[in-house]
Amino acid sequence: QALSGPAYMSLLVAIGRARHWKQVKAVFQYMLERLGDSPLPSSFFMHLAYRRVQEQQYLPALEVFEWYRAKGDPPSAASMELFIRLSTHAMIDGLDIHENESHISLSDWYRSSDV
């Protein structure tokens, strides 16, 4: 029997709290295949990205931003602020993500938005 959107969200939150990021990705991709769209609110993605930035997991945080963009909603001001924080912290910690293809693509996405 298929899970509902809220059930997937609860499952993803539980897995994320345990910091099993590969499983979060697998469940998220499975959910998209089963439901065809993400029922998750934007705040879910921002919380997940925020946790990754806190843990200095900058490249995986970029991946969360990619999931957020794939959701199809326009970017929010809060997501842009977190994206800038991610970029700044990565630079301070010596990781030059500005040449990363995903970072460039996301930067263009934010620049082309109304945010």
Side-chain angles (χ1 to χ4, degrees):
Q1 181 176 355
L3 296 174
S4 66
Y8 278 111
M9 184 170 166
S10 296
L11 179 62
L12 287 168
V13 168
I15 297 169
R17 283 189 178 146
R19 295 189 172 127
H20 296 291
W21 303 117
K22 288 182 182 179
Q23 286 80 7
V24 168
K25 180 180 178 179
V27 169
F28 179 73
Q29 289 175 334
Y30 178 78
M31 180 185 63
L32 287 179
E33 290 170 10
R34 295 280 295 189
L35 302 177
D37 189 15
S38 171
L40 302 172
S42 299
S43 60
F44 173 82
F45 295 96
M46 292 306 95
H47 179 72
L48 188 58
Y50 178 77
R51 292 280 305 271
R52 303 306 285 273
V53 171
Q54 278 184 319
E55 296 172 358
Q56 298 177 330
Q57 298 288 320
Y58 304 121
L59 295 177
L62 280 177
E63 187 172 23
V64 174
F65 277 98
E66 290 285 358
W67 300 347
Y68 173 63
R69 179 173 56 178
K71 182 174 168 42
D73 292 344
S76 67
S79 72
M80 179 178 260
E81 180 181 330
L82 184 56
F83 184 73
I84 292 168
R85 184 181 300 169
L86 160 68
S87 301
T88 303
H89 283 279
M91 210 169 41
I92 290 170
D93 289 347
L95 179 63
D96 185 13
I97 62 171
H98 295 92
E99 299 297 321
N100 179 289
E101 184 177 314
S102 179
H103 187 274
I104 293 167
S105 174
L106 287 163
S107 294
D108 291 343
W109 180 58
Y110 278 108
R111 271 194 293 277
S112 68
S113 74
D114 292 335
V115 178

